[in-house]
Amino acid sequence: LPLFLSLSLSLCLFVSLLCVSVVVIQAHDWGSTPVRIEGFTNQMSDLMAASDCIVTKAGPGTITEAAIRGLPVMLSSYLPGQEKGNVDYVISHGFGSFSKKPEVIASTVKRWIENPTSMAQMSSIAQSIANPNATFEIAKEIIDLLPDPSNPNLRSEYEIGGARSWRSAWLRRPKGLDKFESMMD
């Protein structure tokens, strides 16, 4: 943190209460650097909008939100297996770095902040790979897989257990029903 404190910036820290107490972080001497310390928050989108970069673990949701916001990403950890690929993705696409060492993290972010051209380039790359409509596109793909409700061969609501609509009826049907029905034909 001494490297961060030598810069003219404001820090906003989000503390996982499983790792360390907010009170412990608040007790640290931050010198003249303005610091806002948060525990859990529902305001991440707004806070990211006010940020220049983010230091985080390699969670896919956070990386996705950061890319949508055009934030360079400094990754500090990952869950082995499921998040390792996220580290590789961020690095190979050129919108972030990874280190577990606090000194390396601080010097990397300091270098980014001191080089606005590099920050702008990483921001541009992040935004270019982001897909803010991905959730809607996935939902549409799923809906498109559902059968046409006007299909006379669609089983009745009563047969499926009193569902109120064909979509909920389709979603509530027992697992493996397709396989079973195809064996009965």
Side-chain angles (χ1 to χ4, degrees), residues 104-174:
V104 174
I105 294 168
S107 65
T108 300
V109 172
K110 181 178 188 287
R111 190 174 60 251
W112 291 352
I113 291 169
E114 291 174 337
N115 187 342
T117 304
S118 175
M119 287 277 284
Q121 182 179 15
M122 287 190 294
S123 178
S124 177
I125 292 168
Q127 285 182 320
S128 74
I129 65 159
N131 184 354
N133 295 317
T135 301
F136 300 109
E137 291 169 7
I138 292 167
K140 184 186 178 318
E141 291 288 327
I142 292 169
I143 289 169
D144 289 347
L145 292 173
L146 296 175
D148 181 353
S150 64
N151 182 344
N153 296 323
L154 184 65
R155 295 174 54 174
S156 74
E157 294 174 3
Y158 176 77
E159 292 174 319
I160 299 181
R164 294 189 177 158
S165 74
W166 71 270
R167 288 182 196 274
S168 62
W170 182 259
L171 294 172
R172 288 182 46 206
R173 64 200 184 103

Side-chain angles (χ1 to χ4, degrees), residues 37-159:
I37 299 165
E38 296 278 340
F40 177 81
T41 181
N42 289 322
Q43 306 300 316
M44 282 305 293
S45 181
D46 293 338
L47 294 165
M48 282 188 181
S51 299
D52 294 315
C53 65
I54 185 169
V55 178
T56 184
K57 78 174 197 62
T62 305
I63 292 171
T64 300
E65 287 182 74
I68 290 168
R69 289 288 185 187
L71 295 177
V73 179
M74 181 68 221
L75 300 172
S76 60
S77 65
Y78 60 88
L79 295 176
Q82 69 186 54
E83 292 179 350
K84 174 65 172 106
N86 300 342
V87 174
D88 299 337
Y89 185 83
V90 167
I91 293 169
S92 68
H93 282 81
F95 68 102
S97 295
F98 170 79
S99 179
K100 292 182 180 182
K101 298 176 180 175
E103 309 79 30
V104 174
I105 294 168
S107 65
T108 300
V109 172
K110 181 178 188 287
R111 190 174 60 251
W112 291 352
I113 291 169
E114 291 174 337
N115 187 342
T117 304
S118 175
M119 287 277 284
Q121 182 179 15
M122 287 190 294
S123 178
S124 177
I125 292 168
Q127 285 182 320
S128 74
I129 65 159
N131 184 354
N133 295 317
T135 301
F136 300 109
E137 291 169 7
I138 292 167
K140 184 186 178 318
E141 291 288 327
I142 292 169
I143 289 169
D144 289 347
L145 292 173
L146 296 175
D148 181 353
S150 64
N151 182 344
N153 296 323
L154 184 65
R155 295 174 54 174
S156 74
E157 294 174 3
Y158 176 77
E159 292 174 319

Side-chain angles (χ1 to χ4, degrees), residues 1-13 25 27-37 102-103 105-107 109-111 113-114:
L1 287 176
L3 281 173
F4 283 131
L5 299 180
S6 68
L7 296 170
S8 176
L9 55 83
S10 296
L11 295 175
C12 186
L13 305 175
I25 299 296
H28 182 77
D29 178 12
W30 297 99
S32 62
T33 301
V35 176
R36 175 177 170 177
I37 299 165
E103 309 79 30
I105 294 168
S107 65
V109 172
K110 181 178 188 287
R111 190 174 60 251
I113 291 169
E114 291 174 337

